[in-house]
Amino acid sequence: MVEPGDREVAGQRLGIPESLGVSTLEPGQRPPTTPPGRQVSIRVQLLDDVTEVFDISQRAPAKALFDLVCVHLNLAERDYFGLQYQNPRRMMVWLDLLKPTLKQIRRPKNTILRFVVKFFPPDHTQLLEELTRYLFALQIKHDLACGRLTCNATSAALLVSHIVQSEIGDFDEVQSFQHLLHNKYMPNQDALMDKITEYHHKHVGQTPAESDYQLLEMARRLEMYGVRLHPAKDREGTKLSLAVSHIGLLVFQGHTKINAFNWSKVRKLSFKRKRFLIKLRPDLNSAYQDTLEFVMASRDCCKTFWKICVEYHAFFRLFEEPKPKAKAVLFTRGSSFRFRYAGWVGGWSVISGSPPVVVNGQKAFPFGPGQSSNGHQPSPINAHSCPLSSPLFTDAGYVRTDDEDEVRRKKCPTDKAYFIAKELLTTERTFLKDLAVITVWFQAVLGKEDILPDSVRTLINTNYDPVYQLHQAFLKEVEQRLQQWEGRSNAHIKGDYQRVGDVMLKNIQGLKQLTSLLQRHGEVLVELERSCRASQRLQELCREFEQQKVCYLSLNMFLLRPLHRLLHYKLILERLCKHYPPTHQDFRDSRAALADISEMVLQLQGTMMKMENIQKLLELKKDLTGIQDLAIPGREFIRLGCLSKLSGKGLQQRMFFLFSDSLVYTSRGMTADNQFKVHGQLPLYGMTIRESEDEWGVPHSFTLFGQHQSVVVAASCVSEMVKWMEDIRMAVVLVEQSNRPSTDLLSTSRSDRKSPEEGGVEAESEEELSASRSSLERQSAQRGNTTVHVCWHRNTSVSMVDFSVAVENQLSGNLLRKFKNSNGWQKLWVVFTNFSLFFYKSHQDDYPLASLPLLGYSLTVPAETENIQKDYVFKLHFKSHVYYFRSESQYTFQRSWCGVVFSGVVFSSVVLSSVSNQIYLYSPSYIS
């Protein structure tokens, strides 16, 4: 039991024994070297309020002191922290690690430095070690106690309850009350005692590490998280405060954020005497002047804040360490300070697709995940982890939310056209990010090595950049229109803005001018594949890029996104035209836009179907080993999935791939990418098929009779058996009509392969069998989450028709998610594509933090016994996995989520009923 008033230091909190002169260095690690000379003692107050004394040389740079502190704490993730002190003018400033300590601190005996968090990342899951998260939790605790981290009473009580759970453990009425009585964690704590203890009671069983996690998860969502206010005034003399964060510069009035200037919008920062100047990039849609001016208390205040801005920009945005130049381009006037981060590890971009910013003459491009600035280890945001094991996808990352969203939703329009327009907005945001994967991220990776042939580079630049730019402008227009529609702008006549057909018509007319470019997107796909075959290094680069989190789908799928987007526009406009009466002001524009987009879709339909097939064959090529070139002219993909194959050892799980000329069966091998090893090929020419359940006594079985061999297989259910038999019969008819014999797909000669009767191809080691049974959730590589692997683990199948339907039914938007045994709801940005839900914290995130493949899942609504008591909720479950999702309205529930997910996914069963006094009932076992 922790007695009131007792405080734990970092080592005690993490179970490290008290240091009695024993080194905390790792084996082989040496303490930081210090220059010779007279030693000086420096006092440093740590985040647990313990003050330690460190001896350094008089001539030592401040980095030596900083390293000593980090070694004392055994801290690996040092780059988020810094040393702060009060200068003679009573201002808190950061210790410059590259300058000697004693040239900055004139009176070391009278000065106490504070070891604190300096850079606050947007997401605490970027922190890799528990110690780092603990130190961040201590910083949040300090900010809450001093009133710097302001929030409403409910959030404050919940934050304190997690701190108390971390410090004293599970709730005990007497102990908890006494602890709160002797420890003040926030102003006005006494008024919230009951609410704090109520929340603390709910954290039973939560470990200190889990409490830290929950504390950081809550804190990062608060507006004042990591904010350090610097008093200023605008030109009219209004009192304001300036602050800086990972996204850019912030302006506050009191504790309310009234404006934010993204780094991508800022062209130059400078100061002149008391004036702090922000020069923005030209923007015709912005109401702000090119240069904003703020007045601060003194030149020193200006300089201090300016230096902090430089450091934040460098830490979060620079592509490489800046080199000092005689003339700076972005940050000029008032100082020759050039930020060089000691122990430079680079930073990362929070905003994809933003243009390069010039800092000290160096271009700063957005980082690709997994890349560091100069060959050092990647920064925490780039650490690779399996999407399925992300903290966001477990109860550990769960965040309880209040129902303030319901209040906001009640203020929004209720017209169906508004929700259709909102669907256009949310899907356009995702589409633009998908385009940026090619135009920004992929280009940045290839730009490092001059390896891409000029012809392919020109093809990508010429055919994708204009499309990307057009959609950037279109997204701005749609965002502005939705703001006006919701009454969040200064629209003069509200009714004029309750439409979207005019904006779509303008964009589609612009797209029509780019039809020739869209037709060449298939050519880009083919040429890139050809170049990869010719260059092993280019092939390796493409594979490495596909492992990055931002490339959450196959690279080739992103190349086809502009063609698929046309189908989405067509569906949206069809629903608009169906909803509007002919007299509606938006009907004429919507109908004209629908006519234009229908013409484009018809014109590009052939290219689209051809490229989708090629893309699927190329993707399958990565999943298969022991096979020759798969993507040959004339071959079409039809279906893939699991069947059990009958052999001398009984039924064995096999993965089958049906093409227009052959049926290939495989098992999962032991390769680095978990590829499927080809066991055999059954030519379709001359094949016959018959149901054989009665003959073999195996449920849902059928026999394939080829010219040289016959195979007995069994499906998981009747519907799966029917789908396979229908597709195989159709493929046999087509191949015989073409009178074209099958091509040998296998990479080895026929003489080298044993027949199934000889038992050679059926033999599997225990390791292979074990690998085959490993769960999908334990896959560590991104390729372990492809459709092929999901079908293998869920024992199901998908066809090319399913893929085409899924392409038309992509969706994005906010959903509330709840786990089976949790009490509250977590708001997430969710993208549905490729038979999976991808989860983001917000639509601004560059990559998903978790994913949920839906093949094989059941879709229902919660029963009364589940006690959900919320409208617009649907339930997804597979075996013991149960997830609840809550839509914002009846329309988004019926059409945008249940309708789309239902239409675009192969479910084991689908039943929806009794939602908001309306009945929806779907009960087929398969939808295509």
Side-chain angles (χ1 to χ4, degrees):
M1 174 177 173
V2 179
E3 295 296 328
D6 286 357
R7 296 185 182 273
E8 294 177 303
V9 297
Q12 295 170 342
R13 155 70 169 74
L14 296 172
I16 301 172
E18 182 180 356
S19 174
L20 299 174
V22 180
S23 173
T24 60
L25 298 176
E26 297 294 331
Q29 185 182 2
R30 295 183 177 181
T33 58
T34 58
R38 193 163 63 87
Q39 299 289 299
V40 178
S41 297
I42 303 290
R43 289 182 295 167
V44 178
Q45 183 180 353
L46 305 179
L47 279 164
D48 53 14
D49 292 334
V50 173
T51 300
E52 297 284 351
V53 178
F54 298 90
D55 294 328
I56 62 169
S57 167
Q58 280 186 324
R59 291 178 286 174
K63 186 178 184 302
L65 172 63
F66 180 77
D67 287 345
L68 283 172
V69 176
C70 292
V71 168
H72 172 77
L73 293 171
N74 206 13
L75 177 65
E77 295 175 275
R78 305 176 177 186
D79 306 312
Y80 298 100
F81 302 87
L83 293 170
Q84 206 173 35
Y85 67 101
Q86 191 176 58
N87 68 9
R89 296 178 182 86
R90 309 189 70 81
M91 293 174 56
M92 294 302 297
V93 295
W94 293 102
L95 194 68
D96 189 335
L97 300 186
L98 298 181
K99 294 180 180 179
T101 303
L102 294 188
K103 284 198 174 182
Q104 303 175 71
I105 304 174
R106 299 297 182 183
R107 302 173 66 187
K109 291 184 179 180
N110 299 327
T111 303
I112 298 179
L113 281 78
R114 294 170 55 213
F115 179 85
V116 292
V117 174
K118 187 173 185 179
F119 301 108
F120 290 79
D123 188 351
H124 64 92
T125 59
Q126 298 160 12
L127 308 176
L128 301 182
E129 297 194 341
E130 184 186 345
L131 173 60
T132 316
R133 289 190 290 272
Y134 172 61
L135 294 176
F136 266 72
L138 289 178
Q139 183 67 65
I140 297 301
K141 178 179 167 184
H142 275 281
D143 291 352
L144 189 65
C146 71
R148 182 185 285 156
L149 182 62
T150 58
C151 53
N152 60 41
T154 301
S155 298
L158 192 51
L159 287 169
V160 173
S161 71
H162 285 301
I163 295 173
V164 175
Q165 175 72 20
S166 176
E167 292 192 354
I168 69 172
D170 290 344
F171 176 80
D172 176 89
E173 187 171 356
V174 175
Q175 180 188 8
S176 300
F177 183 82
Q178 288 294 324
H179 185 80
L180 287 171
L181 211 58
H182 289 84
N183 295 274
K184 296 299 180 185
Y185 295 109
M186 57 171 292
N188 303 321
Q189 178 176 298
D190 293 343
L192 296 176
M193 290 278 280
D194 292 339
K195 192 174 280 288
I196 294 171
T197 53
E198 177 188 347
Y199 285 133
H200 184 200
H201 190 268
K202 296 178 180 179
H203 302 331
V204 174
Q206 192 169 282
T207 67
E210 289 170 345
S211 297
D212 292 348
Y213 189 101
Q214 297 289 355
L215 178 69
L216 296 178
E217 182 66 23
M218 275 207 65
R220 76 171 189 86
R221 295 172 178 269
L222 299 175
E223 196 165 66
M224 297 301 293
Y225 167 72
V227 169
R228 303 295 183 255
L229 298 177
H230 296 257
K233 294 180 181 179
D234 62 13
R235 287 180 175 177
E236 286 72 40
T238 305
K239 290 184 178 180
L240 302 169
S241 294
L242 300 180
V244 63
S245 74
H246 63 279
I247 64 168
L249 281 88
L250 313 175
V251 183
F252 285 81
Q253 193 163 30
H255 285 86
T256 302
K257 184 171 67 177
I258 61 173
N259 216 332
F261 301 102
N262 198 288
W263 290 126
S264 62
K265 304 289 185 186
V266 177
R267 195 177 68 162
K268 182 177 180 181
L269 294 179
S270 61
F271 66 95
K272 188 173 183 180
R273 298 186 179 90
K274 294 183 179 182
R275 292 184 297 135
F276 187 86
L277 306 172
I278 305 173
K279 192 163 187 178
L280 303 175
R281 296 182 182 278
D283 187 352
L284 297 177
N285 297 321
S286 175
Y288 296 105
Q289 302 171 1
D290 286 347
T291 302
L292 301 176
E293 181 178 311
F294 298 89
V295 179
M296 306 188 85
S298 66
R299 180 187 181 276
D300 287 339
C301 292
C302 268
K303 182 178 179 180
T304 298
F305 181 62
W306 176 83
K307 289 176 69 173
I308 294 172
C309 291
V310 174
E311 292 176 328
Y312 250 86
H313 180 275
F315 186 83
F316 286 101
R317 295 283 294 179
L318 281 194
F319 185 78
E320 62 183 3
E321 182 178 0
K323 299 174 183 177
K325 287 199 173 184
K327 232 180 171 182
V329 180
L330 173 62
F331 299 108
T332 61
R333 290 191 183 181
S335 176
S336 60
F337 171 74
R338 299 291 175 264
F339 174 64
R340 289 176 58 85
Y341 191 69
W344 178 268
V345 294
W348 57 85
S349 166
V350 230
I351 301 155
S352 69
S354 54
V357 180
V358 180
V359 183
N360 305 333
Q362 300 292 320
K363 282 191 176 180
F365 290 91
F367 256 94
Q371 305 160 13
S372 60
S373 62
N374 55 5
H376 290 248
Q377 289 299 316
S379 53
I381 195 172
N382 300 327
H384 183 77
S385 62
C386 173
L388 287 173
S389 61
S390 162
L392 181 66
F393 203 65
T394 65
D395 283 303
Y398 184 74
V399 177
R400 294 162 179 80
T401 61
D402 297 324
D403 286 340
E404 65 264 12
D405 284 333
E406 290 190 0
V407 177
R408 184 188 59 80
R409 282 197 291 267
K410 290 178 181 178
K411 298 179 181 179
C412 288
T414 57
D415 182 26
K416 183 178 179 179
Y418 163 77
F419 291 109
I420 296 174
K422 191 169 183 180
E423 181 182 332
L424 170 67
L425 169 65
T426 56
T427 52
E428 189 71 17
R429 282 172 172 166
T430 296
F431 170 63
L432 198 62
K433 283 188 176 294
D434 287 352
L435 268 181
V437 172
I438 300 297
T439 59
V440 178
W441 296 90
F442 187 52
Q443 294 275 52
V445 169
L446 294 180
K448 293 181 178 179
E449 298 186 30
D450 190 15
I451 198 169
L452 189 67
D454 291 339
S455 58
V456 182
R457 191 184 303 276
T458 302
L459 269 175
I460 295 177
N461 292 337
T462 305
N463 295 291
Y464 283 89
D465 286 354
V467 177
Y468 181 57
Q469 291 165 9
L470 183 143
H471 283 283
Q472 278 184 311
F474 176 53
L475 177 59
K476 287 183 180 179
E477 287 190 78
V478 176
E479 287 177 334
Q480 183 180 11
R481 178 57 56 87
L482 263 292
Q483 288 175 355
Q484 293 166 335
W485 203 329
E486 294 168 354
R488 293 189 289 122
S489 70
N490 297 324
H492 298 295
I493 305 175
K494 187 178 179 182
D496 287 348
Y497 298 102
Q498 294 183 347
R499 53 184 175 143
V500 77
D502 58 327
V503 180
M504 291 197 72
L505 178 61
K506 176 185 174 183
N507 180 64
I508 290 170
Q509 287 174 343
L511 270 178
K512 286 185 71 175
Q513 306 300 317
L514 303 180
T515 301
S516 60
L517 302 184
L518 294 171
Q519 285 175 326
R520 301 194 70 186
H521 284 191
E523 186 179 340
V524 175
L525 176 68
V526 174
E527 287 300 318
L528 181 60
E529 174 64 19
R530 186 176 297 153
S531 299
C532 285
R533 287 201 301 266
S535 169
Q536 185 175 355
R537 179 54 188 154
L538 177 60
Q539 189 175 26
E540 290 173 356
L541 276 177
C542 290
R543 287 183 177 178
E544 289 172 8
F545 180 70
E546 282 193 322
Q547 292 298 319
Q548 295 187 12
K549 292 181 179 180
V550 72
C551 191
Y552 64 101
L553 301 172
S554 168
L555 174 61
N556 290 336
M557 290 190 71
F558 292 105
L559 291 171
L560 299 183
R561 276 294 195 249
L563 293 172
H564 295 157
R565 188 58 176 156
L566 303 180
L567 300 175
H568 304 163
Y569 290 154
K570 184 172 181 289
L571 291 174
I572 286 171
L573 285 164
E574 284 174 348
R575 277 183 281 126
L576 270 179
C577 291
K578 185 176 179 180
H579 168 68
Y580 286 141
T583 55
H584 195 280
Q585 60 174 348
D586 203 25
F587 179 76
R588 180 177 295 181
D589 288 337
S590 299
R591 186 172 61 179
L594 177 59
D596 285 345
I597 200 67
S598 299
E599 180 185 343
M600 289 185 69
V601 168
L602 187 62
Q603 188 175 353
L604 295 167
Q605 189 75 42
T607 300
M608 201 179 306
M609 293 177 64
K610 179 182 177 182
M611 289 304 106
E612 282 178 353
N613 182 67
I614 292 176
Q615 182 271 324
K616 185 52 59 182
L617 292 175
L618 293 176
E619 184 179 338
L620 292 178
K621 181 182 174 184
K622 300 173 187 175
D623 286 310
L624 298 173
T625 181
I627 201 167
Q628 288 181 345
D629 190 12
L630 200 59
I632 64 171
R635 176 173 292 140
E636 295 180 10
F637 163 72
I638 299 174
R639 178 175 292 279
L640 65 85
C642 259
L643 292 171
S644 295
K645 182 175 177 291
L646 187 63
S647 68
K649 296 182 179 180
L651 288 172
Q652 293 185 323
Q653 185 180 0
R654 292 288 179 263
M655 196 71 183
F656 280 74
F657 299 85
L658 177 60
F659 304 103
S660 57
D661 57 348
S662 299
L663 180 65
V664 175
Y665 56 95
T666 68
S667 67
R668 218 181 82 178
M670 291 292 291
T671 65
D673 292 332
N674 294 319
Q675 290 174 298
F676 286 83
K677 181 174 63 179
V678 175
H679 281 203
Q681 169 190 2
L682 300 172
L684 296 183
Y685 194 85
M687 179 183 285
T688 58
I689 182 173
R690 77 159 183 248
E691 192 173 344
S692 52
E693 181 174 340
D694 296 336
E695 180 180 352
W696 295 99
V698 178
H700 323 309
S701 64
F702 55 97
T703 305
L704 303 169
F705 298 93
Q707 292 181 341
H708 304 288
Q709 65 182 104
S710 61
V711 175
V712 179
V713 294
S716 58
C717 60
V718 175
S719 60
E720 280 288 303
M721 180 186 72
V722 170
K723 287 182 285 184
W724 274 107
M725 292 180 67
E726 287 180 351
D727 282 354
I728 293 173
R729 285 185 176 127
M730 174 199 69
V732 169
V733 171
L734 292 177
V735 77
E736 290 181 347
Q737 285 177 352
S738 66
N739 198 29
R740 193 169 62 184
S742 301
T743 305
D744 195 357
L745 284 153
L746 305 189
S747 57
T748 56
S749 64
R750 184 169 296 277
S751 61
D752 293 333
R753 298 196 305 269
K754 297 180 181 180
S755 67
E757 288 75 19
E758 295 173 359
V761 292
E762 294 297 332
E764 283 186 324
S765 66
E766 289 300 318
E767 289 81 3
E768 286 176 313
L769 289 171
S770 176
S772 300
R773 289 191 291 266
S774 64
S775 68
L776 180 64
E777 284 74 11
R778 286 199 294 262
Q779 295 296 332
S780 59
Q782 197 157 334
R783 289 214 55 78
N785 202 19
T786 64
T787 304
V788 176
H789 289 84
V790 176
C791 285
W792 171 264
H793 290 283
R794 303 274 169 82
N795 198 18
T796 187
S797 69
V798 291
S799 70
M800 192 62 195
V801 174
D802 299 323
F803 282 106
S804 298
V805 172
V807 160
E808 294 181 8
N809 287 281
Q810 298 177 45
L811 193 63
S812 310
N814 286 311
L815 279 178
L816 295 175
R817 185 188 64 183
K818 178 184 177 304
F819 294 103
K820 182 180 179 180
N821 297 317
S822 57
N823 297 322
W825 296 83
Q826 181 183 19
K827 187 176 182 180
L828 298 168
W829 177 262
V830 183
V831 174
F832 170 69
T833 186
N834 198 39
F835 310 116
S836 298
L837 295 177
F838 293 90
F839 301 104
Y840 302 73
K841 293 293 179 67
S842 76
H843 70 84
Q844 295 177 331
D845 292 354
D846 287 328
Y847 57 84
L849 297 179
S851 64
L852 177 63
L854 295 183
L855 294 173
Y857 263 73
S858 295
L859 172 64
T860 63
V861 293
E864 290 185 9
T865 55
E866 294 174 87
N867 199 30
I868 295 299
Q869 298 178 345
K870 297 289 183 182
D871 291 335
Y872 320 131
V873 176
F874 61 94
K875 173 183 174 183
L876 294 172
H877 51 101
F878 174 77
K879 295 183 178 178
S880 61
H881 301 283
V882 178
Y883 307 98
Y884 301 98
F885 294 94
R886 183 172 153 206
S887 306
E888 65 177 346
S889 68
Q890 181 174 319
Y891 170 82
T892 53
F893 169 83
Q894 182 182 1
R895 159 67 188 97
S896 297
W897 283 108
C898 284
V900 168
V901 174
F902 169 75
S903 300
V905 179
V906 181
F907 282 107
S908 60
S909 64
V910 180
V911 179
L912 302 179
S913 62
S914 185
V915 182
S916 300
N917 301 319
Q918 304 243 355
I919 302 296
Y920 308 98
L921 177 62
Y922 307 96
S923 56
S925 59
Y926 170 68
I927 299 294
S928 65

